Amino acid sequence: MSLDTADVRPRSQANTGTSRPPSQRRRTRQRRNQPYPGWFYAPAATIYGILFVVPTFASFYFAFTRWSFVETEFIGFDNFITFFSEPRLSRGFVNTFIYAVVTSGAKVAIGLALAILLTSGIFARGYLRAVVFFPVLVSTIGVGITFKILMDPFDGLINKALAVVGIQGPGWLTDPSLALLSVAAVDVWKGVGLATLIYIAGIVAIPSEYYEAARVDGASAWSTFRNITLPLVRPATVTVVILSLIGGLRTFDLIWAMTGGGPGFASDVIASTIYKQYAAGFYGLSTAGNVVLFLVVTAVVLPLYIFMNRKSKEL
Amino acid sequence: MKAARTRNLIGGIIAIAVSVVVFLIPFAFIVLTAFKTQQESALLEFSWPTEFAFFDNLVTVLQTRDYTVVRAFINSAIVTVASVGIMVVLAAMVGWVLQRRQSRWNGFINFLVLAGLIVPPAVVPTIFVMQQLGIFRSIPGLILIEVAFGMSFCILLFRAFAASIPRELDEAALIDGAGPLRLFFQVAFPLLRSVIVTVIVVQSVTVFNDFANPLYFAPGAENVTVQLTLYNFQSQFYTSWNLLFTDILLITIPPLIMYIFFNRQIVAGMTSGAIKG
């Protein structure tokens, strides 16, 4: 964050010696904070605390219970054992990782490629940017239903188009080994516009002197990309990876609209099993799923956040 | 130079062709199907409608299940306006004080804000808490949920923007005798205008498009929101694709209008907010 004067002042005071006793220092800080009262936090903190923080902490208790809202029975790790031993639940655990890795990898690769294309002198840039970005704003459910119909194995537009060129298209959403990846592809279609925009912002921020120097040195397009663009868009890559991992690990809407976790439970993810268990009345099990999702997201995103931020500072 | 221009032109034309196939055809498919009669839409073909039935489709969709789509649009409008309004004021207050005030709590508060972006909400315990408060299955409850879950993103934007407002302005206002409330609402708030517009636009689209929260926290026919009608119609209009796609088209229009008018703010909000996050 910003290092404005007032942020620096107390530190320099502390360095110059002990001329002021701590009580007095506290008083100056109080005076300086007076126009920015702490109660400004209160309304936001009340809503956030009651509807987000309390339930999050409560989930760590209820995950260990058999729970019907009326009564709770402590059953230890049973819910977690069920979660990982029943294939219809543990499949969702594995799928969540596959989905998150595939979508964020594709968003990084395609987003970067599109951003390079759209920052070059290409014709009709404005139109292309608008078209690539628009799906980001469209309802996920609407996109899901549309693609569900486009991906229909017999009547769908995609397979009809493939049939014209003589390819028999697969059952995108009906083939158990393909359903999850088809949904992931639609996720990329919908979300790549945001990744592209973030990359465009990153590329535009690279000083053009670097490219001029590279041209003077006679660098090829590939080595310019490899040695200038790629390292210098690192902050954008960090953002894209973290955002799409958070989104991918928590994904629910698109899966629910397109396959409902099916066929069978081939495309279930943790978020959709949470909903299914909740709808079936297994509140404790559903909450255990939530705790698992919490742990997965934190375990993946937090180290990445720290690691990638440290790396970008070294540059 | 001339070669480069030709290359850009050819590349542009290829890119346009690809973008039409990949991005425009799905949208064109929605529009064309929404314009067709039921028999024609059942073929699921990408073709020009032989008979335009959009108006009939629209009336049918609106009347279905006792005007549920109309009710859904009203509910969605209420939820979007109310939650974004509350979110903007409360998040601006937090972002402002968080940037200005020095306190040992700042680290902890920043951590909570970041947690709100990353941690998935605990569904069933939230429902339990809402039941205890008597706001489960209600529009006010849904509004508060949207506020709670959307606040972190807004706070980050406001905090970053508050840093760009010079402190001298605060001091001038304080010397003129302004209290904290006056300082915030009459000096800071107007200066935050550009970021307020960004937050309003981005969060409106997010709340309007939200599906999971209404599904979980506001079930019931009287609380229906637009995304839920779409989901419910999927089974009801199983054989009437024209009606299903008319509904999709209706629900795509509000974000499209937002995009046309606030293109710049949306792009700024989504990219800068993302990078700060």
Side-chain angles (χ1 to χ4, degrees), chain A:
Chain A
M1 276 306 303
S2 71
L3 245 109
D4 44 358
T5 45
D7 278 322
V8 176
R9 223 180 294 153
R11 213 174 300 141
S12 61
Q13 266 174 11
N15 287 341
T16 48
T18 49
S19 57
R20 286 182 183 195
S23 65
Q24 201 181 337
R25 216 182 305 152
R26 202 179 307 134
R27 223 173 305 134
T28 38
R29 177 150 77 172
Q30 264 168 12
R31 187 145 25 91
R32 208 176 302 127
N33 280 339
Q34 214 167 31
Y36 317 109
W39 66 261
F40 267 41
Y41 293 134
T46 312
I47 297 178
Y48 187 77
I50 292 175
L51 291 178
F52 185 76
V53 180
V54 168
T56 302
F57 278 103
S59 71
F60 284 93
Y61 169 70
F62 288 119
F64 294 96
T65 63
R66 190 175 291 128
W67 186 26
S68 69
F69 281 167
V70 188
E71 49 185 0
T72 54
E73 184 195 340
F74 193 82
I75 52 167
F77 280 94
D78 278 10
N79 285 329
F80 293 94
I81 293 167
T82 314
F83 195 90
F84 285 105
S85 59
E86 281 198 34
R88 72 194 158 90
L89 299 173
S90 57
R91 180 71 185 265
F93 182 74
V94 178
N95 280 349
T96 302
F97 284 98
I98 298 176
Y99 189 92
V101 170
V102 168
T103 50
S104 30
K107 282 177 190 172
V108 165
I110 302 173
L112 181 56
L114 282 174
I116 289 172
L117 188 72
L118 294 180
T119 46
S120 69
I122 197 169
F123 177 67
R125 260 171 304 180
Y127 154 81
L128 289 169
R129 276 185 208 187
V131 154
V132 169
F133 184 68
F134 182 60
V136 173
L137 300 177
V138 177
S139 135
T140 312
I141 301 297
V143 168
I145 294 175
T146 308
F147 270 92
K148 188 179 168 185
I149 288 164
L150 293 177
M151 285 177 166
D152 188 283
F154 306 109
D155 295 331
L157 199 58
I158 294 177
N159 279 2
K160 274 189 202 162
L162 288 176
V164 171
V165 283
I167 304 170
Q168 162 130 51
W172 300 101
L173 298 172
T174 48
D175 181 344
S177 61
L178 207 60
L180 186 74
L181 294 177
S182 301
V183 180
V186 177
D187 189 316
V188 174
W189 179 88
K190 186 177 169 2
V192 79
L194 185 58
T196 308
L197 276 186
I198 294 170
Y199 270 122
I200 287 177
I203 291 174
V204 169
I206 299 174
S208 59
E209 285 84 359
Y210 292 141
Y211 290 105
E212 278 157 28
R215 200 161 49 228
V216 170
D217 290 348
S220 68
W222 169 249
S223 71
T224 312
F225 168 75
R226 183 75 193 69
N227 296 310
I228 298 177
T229 311
L230 201 55
L232 290 175
V233 293
R234 180 165 207 129
T237 308
V238 172
T239 309
V240 171
V241 168
I242 287 176
L243 273 187
S244 28
L245 276 181
I246 294 175
L249 291 171
R250 289 166 58 164
T251 188
F252 172 70
D253 299 16
L254 202 58
I255 299 258
W256 203 241
M258 290 183 73
T259 64
F265 39 86
S267 63
D268 258 330
V269 289
I270 297 178
S272 67
T273 59
I274 291 172
Y275 183 75
K276 284 180 177 174
Q277 298 311 318
Y278 160 66
F282 299 116
Y283 296 156
L285 189 55
S286 171
T287 309
N290 235 311
V291 169
V292 172
L293 182 58
F294 170 86
L295 295 175
V296 165
V297 174
T298 340
V300 171
V301 174
L302 209 61
L304 208 64
Y305 188 80
I306 295 166
F307 171 75
M308 287 185 142
N309 270 341
R310 191 188 303 146
K311 262 274 167 81
S312 64
K313 269 183 201 126
E314 278 167 13
L315 273 169

Side-chain angles (χ1 to χ4, degrees), chain B residues 233-247:
Chain B
F233 280 180
Q234 216 187 339
S235 45
Q236 176 152 1
F237 292 155
Y238 194 65
T239 48
S240 320
W241 302 119
N242 54 335
L243 300 181
L244 185 61
F245 279 85
T246 304
D247 198 22

Side-chain angles (χ1 to χ4, degrees), chain B residues 68-219:
Chain B
T68 183
V69 173
V70 178
R71 198 170 334 126
F73 263 96
I74 295 171
N75 282 343
S76 280
I78 293 172
V79 171
T80 307
V81 171
S83 63
V84 174
I86 298 173
M87 227 184 300
V88 164
V89 176
L90 299 192
M93 287 165 78
V94 173
W96 166 252
V97 173
L98 189 57
Q99 200 278 320
R100 287 296 203 257
R101 191 180 165 89
Q102 298 163 32
S103 138
R104 78 188 87 147
W105 291 95
N106 281 5
F108 176 67
I109 295 168
N110 281 324
F111 164 78
L112 277 183
V113 172
L114 216 57
L117 280 185
I118 297 171
V119 174
V123 178
V124 189
T126 311
I127 292 175
F128 180 65
V129 169
M130 290 175 79
Q131 274 190 344
Q132 301 300 308
L133 297 171
I135 54 172
F136 181 58
R137 282 179 196 277
S138 73
I139 294 291
L142 182 58
I143 291 171
L144 291 176
I145 283 286
E146 299 288 0
V147 172
F149 296 170
M151 197 123 63
S152 289
F153 172 81
C154 307
I155 291 174
L156 286 176
L157 280 188
F158 281 122
R159 192 190 63 184
F161 199 83
S164 71
I165 298 178
R167 259 167 203 271
E168 286 74 20
L169 284 175
D170 303 12
E171 278 152 24
L174 292 172
I175 289 168
D176 287 347
L181 277 175
R182 251 180 110 88
L183 174 66
F184 175 70
F185 281 103
Q186 294 199 335
V187 179
F189 209 67
L191 288 170
L192 292 168
R193 196 178 54 212
S194 72
V195 72
I196 288 172
V197 174
T198 303
V199 167
I200 289 177
V201 174
V202 172
Q203 288 298 342
S204 303
V205 173
T206 313
V207 173
F208 186 83
N209 281 340
D210 190 14
F211 169 70
N213 293 327
L215 178 73
Y216 277 127
F217 304 118

Side-chain angles (χ1 to χ4, degrees), chain A residues 116-125 128, chain B residues 1-17:
Chain A
I116 289 172
L117 188 72
L118 294 180
T119 46
S120 69
I122 197 169
F123 177 67
R125 260 171 304 180
L128 289 169
Chain B
M1 205 55 212
K2 202 171 171 199
R5 203 177 302 154
T6 335
R7 210 180 51 214
N8 283 336
L9 189 66
I10 294 172
I13 290 167
I14 295 172
I16 290 172

